[in-house]
Amino acid sequence: KDLSALQRIITTLANKNEELHNFMETLSHSLAGVQVNCPQAVSDLEEEFDRLFTILVEMKESMINTIKQEGAKKTQELQHQLTQSGGALKSAVELLEFANNALDIKDEDEFTKAAKQIKDRVTMAPAFRLTMKPKATDNMDHLMVDFNQERQLLQNLKFLPVPRAPEMEVGDCLVLDNTVSLAWKMPVEDSKIDHYILEYRKTDHEGLPRIKDERCWEVVDNIKTTEYSLSGLKFDSKFMNFRVRACNKAAAGEYSDPVTLETRAFNFGFDSSSSHLNLKVEDRSVEWDPQGGKGLESKVKGKENKGSAHLTNLKNMSRSGTPSPKRTSTTRSPAIRGGRDRFTGESYTVLGDTSMDCGQHYWEVKALKDCKSYSVGVSYRNLGKFDQLGKTNTTWCIHINNWLQPSFAAKHNNKAKSLDGTAPGRIGVFCDLDSGQLSFYNAETKQLIHTFKAKFSQPVVPAFMVSPVGCHGRCTPTRDCILYQRTCPVIKT
């Protein structure tokens, strides 16, 4: 008991140390960001003020130029009038002097002649042809300004209003069937929100997002509502991180507290070290390939993984958005068997390289049209090298034979139960180790095909057999698909 308690304490301390290390990295990253972003913000502010100063200087020069042009125009007009008036005055003085002299003429004819000249000159005199009203005034009030309103605007200059960080609605988030549905809300109503930006990334780490995570954030922009569904995903990681930020017309706000959704991804490959020599094992496929792969082909191809998830709110790790089933446990063994235990004889078998000892797991297998004979199921690791799936008490499978006399049967312990109907194009395998059930479904209609009830006394691994029934076989199951009981109600029985 003391040893077990000490081991739990050590595990707790190790987890806490890792959490603190990640938190310190986050703080260091934020500190470095502040040291970079603060000078940048100052530089951006100075740039904006410089632009404002430039506009003010340009406006000042433009308005001063307008005043100067108006003054020059008035000066020119008044100066011209003054010059004209001076000439008219000189002419009028001369005419007045001539008229006064005419009064002294004694000769009547000379007087009459002088009077006529005076009259003609008065008629043409500039003094009588000038407009005696100034063409311009000295008033410049029409070029005065009042910048009280502008000064108030300048005095009210503030930083842009930034939206507050949204809050993820963890209880309304769901990961299911290659789709992640997310929901969030604003802490206070903000009518100026224009759209939201969602960021997500895959990760194999539980807890707070790691700064040095090997995967980059992917972005979905211009989301107009407070919910969004990411479809067509592939759950090839244990977790996914999500965060969202609100944007108005001016700026983007802070990110929400990140949320981690657990995909419960069941990742497994093929154990090539134990597969039959006539099976060509690749990363995601197994081929019946005697003599270099000659012969006809029979293919079983895997489908994209589907799944459901337990949700974890990073803001408070002690709370969960949904009830959490018992944690799935898997163990990967690069070499389940040694080379001397390779399947041989008529056991054209390959096992998955990851075992399951508890929890719920799901994957799918799709049979191509030319596939003639194959089996899909689970097995204990210690399956004999001559043993075939379904013929021992340590293997459970369904067998499909489309060669000559078609058959569709569930097999275990060398007993076969014929199944109704024809084999679906895509088969779902649901292994619930906690309740001791292995179920097979029509993955397209979600209809139950068959269920084995068993007490699994050892860890099990996915198992596949491609039979050389006059054909070339290929099997590519989904390795990273996961399902658990929350999805059961949608399956037709």
Side-chain angles (χ1 to χ4, degrees):
K1 291 182 178 180
D2 292 339
L3 178 60
S4 177
L6 182 58
Q7 288 176 338
R8 287 196 299 270
I9 292 173
I10 292 174
T11 300
T12 301
L13 289 175
N15 292 337
K16 179 56 68 174
N17 288 346
E18 183 179 4
E19 182 181 348
L20 286 172
H21 181 71
N22 181 45
F23 182 61
M24 290 176 65
E25 286 185 345
T26 301
L27 293 177
S28 298
H29 180 77
S30 298
L31 180 59
V34 169
Q35 293 173 346
V36 171
N37 294 333
C38 183
Q40 183 62 47
V42 172
S43 177
D44 292 342
L45 182 63
E46 289 178 340
E47 184 176 344
E48 288 297 325
F49 270 99
D50 288 342
R51 290 174 183 171
L52 188 58
F53 294 153
T54 299
I55 292 174
L56 289 174
V57 170
E58 290 175 352
M59 289 300 299
K60 176 183 176 181
E61 292 177 352
S62 176
M63 296 178 76
I64 289 175
N65 189 47
T66 299
I67 293 174
K68 289 181 178 180
Q69 289 178 352
E70 182 71 8
K73 179 182 177 181
K74 287 191 173 189
T75 298
Q76 183 179 6
E77 290 177 343
L78 292 173
Q79 188 64 49
H80 181 65
Q81 277 190 299
L82 185 59
T83 301
Q84 286 183 326
S85 298
L89 178 60
K90 181 179 179 182
S91 175
V93 169
E94 292 176 352
L95 182 58
L96 178 60
E97 183 179 358
F98 180 73
N100 287 330
N101 292 335
L103 293 176
D104 296 332
I105 299 175
K106 304 299 183 181
D107 184 276
E108 184 176 352
D109 292 335
E110 290 293 330
F111 180 80
T112 300
K113 182 180 178 180
K116 185 176 181 304
Q117 289 179 354
I118 293 171
K119 180 179 179 182
D120 292 339
R121 289 178 66 181
V122 168
T123 302
M124 299 300 296
F128 294 98
R129 299 172 65 88
L130 286 174
T131 300
M132 304 302 290
K133 180 179 179 180
K135 291 184 177 180
T137 68
D138 60 352
N139 186 8
M140 301 291 284
D141 290 346
H142 62 291
L143 295 177
M144 299 297 290
V145 296
D146 181 3
F147 289 149
N148 283 329
Q149 184 176 356
E150 287 75 8
R151 276 194 294 269
Q152 290 179 0
L153 288 175
L154 291 174
Q155 290 170 351
N156 290 328
L157 288 180
K158 297 178 180 178
F159 293 101
L160 291 174
V162 178
R164 297 179 63 177
E167 297 174 354
M168 298 296 292
E169 296 274 45
V170 181
D172 294 331
C173 295
L174 179 65
V175 179
L176 179 67
D177 291 340
N178 296 332
T179 299
V180 179
S181 298
L182 301 160
W184 58 88
K185 67 178 182 179
M186 295 301 296
V188 293
E189 186 175 353
D190 189 345
S191 61
K192 295 183 179 180
I193 297 298
D194 179 69
H195 66 278
Y196 298 91
I197 298 176
L198 172 66
E199 295 188 3
Y200 67 96
R201 69 179 179 186
K202 299 175 181 179
T203 181
D204 292 321
H205 304 292
E206 188 175 10
L208 293 172
R210 302 186 176 216
I211 298 300
K212 297 182 179 180
D213 199 291
E214 63 276 9
R215 297 178 176 92
C216 297
W217 290 98
E218 298 187 53
V219 180
V220 180
D221 200 352
N222 201 34
I223 301 174
K224 296 295 185 179
T225 63
T226 56
E227 57 185 22
Y228 190 79
S229 292
L230 289 164
S231 58
L233 296 172
K234 181 180 179 181
F235 298 149
D236 52 4
S237 63
K238 294 182 180 179
F239 304 94
M240 292 184 70
N241 300 141
F242 297 89
R243 63 185 185 185
V244 66
R245 65 197 307 193
C247 303
N248 55 28
K249 294 292 186 180
E254 292 285 347
Y255 287 105
S256 64
D257 289 329
V259 168
T260 292
L261 307 187
E262 186 178 359
T263 65
R264 294 184 171 269
F266 177 39
N267 298 291
F268 71 89
F270 295 111
D271 177 26
S272 60
S273 67
S274 68
S275 61
H276 195 284
L277 285 172
N278 289 127
L279 297 181
K280 181 181 178 182
V281 179
E282 298 178 350
D283 179 44
R284 293 182 59 81
S285 65
V286 178
E287 298 184 21
W288 166 254
D289 194 15
Q291 298 179 0
K294 296 180 181 179
L296 301 175
E297 280 193 5
S298 175
K299 300 180 180 180
V300 181
K301 187 175 183 182
K303 183 183 178 296
E304 294 293 333
N305 62 297
K306 295 186 175 181
S308 183
H310 163 63
L311 313 179
T312 303
N313 184 347
L314 302 186
K315 189 173 183 181
N316 187 338
M317 296 301 295
S318 64
R319 295 183 180 180
S320 173
T322 57
S324 174
K326 183 178 180 180
R327 180 172 297 278
T328 297
S329 176
T330 60
T331 302
R332 170 159 296 193
S333 175
I336 295 177
R337 302 168 167 270
R340 289 174 293 182
D341 289 329
R342 183 181 292 274
F343 288 105
T344 189
E346 296 184 354
S347 180
Y348 303 105
T349 303
V350 62
L351 301 179
D353 64 356
T354 304
S355 65
M356 304 163 280
D357 57 12
C358 66
Q360 302 83 26
H361 308 266
Y362 179 86
W363 61 97
E364 295 179 356
V365 177
K366 181 179 181 181
L368 300 187
K369 292 182 179 180
D370 57 352
C371 182
K372 301 303 180 183
S373 179
Y374 66 98
S375 300
V376 178
V378 300
S379 169
Y380 288 164
R381 285 182 172 183
N382 60 359
L383 180 64
K385 64 181 180 180
F386 295 105
D387 294 337
Q388 298 181 24
L389 297 187
K391 292 188 176 182
T392 70
N393 63 353
T394 62
T395 60
W396 299 259
C397 72
I398 58 172
H399 176 71
I400 296 91
N401 179 29
N402 295 319
W403 180 253
L404 297 179
Q405 294 182 345
S407 62
F408 183 30
K411 292 185 176 182
H412 170 63
N413 200 20
N414 206 25
K415 296 180 181 179
K417 178 182 179 180
S418 296
L419 301 175
D420 296 332
T422 58
R426 196 169 78 246
I427 297 173
V429 184
F430 177 38
C431 185
D432 187 349
L433 292 150
D434 296 337
S435 61
Q437 291 187 350
L438 176 66
S439 300
F440 297 88
Y441 293 91
N442 182 328
E444 297 173 348
T445 65
K446 305 244 184 332
Q447 185 173 7
L448 178 65
I449 297 173
H450 182 75
T451 295
F452 289 104
K453 293 185 178 180
K455 293 181 179 180
F456 299 109
S457 59
Q458 300 178 30
V460 297
V461 293
F464 309 89
M465 189 168 72
V466 181
S467 302
V469 187
C471 65
H472 179 106
R474 183 183 178 98
C475 179
T476 309
T478 295
R479 301 172 302 160
D480 46 12
C481 182
I482 181 62
L483 180 72
Y484 67 92
Q485 62 263 36
R486 290 178 59 191
T487 62
C488 292
V490 303
I491 297 175
K492 301 176 183 178
T493 58

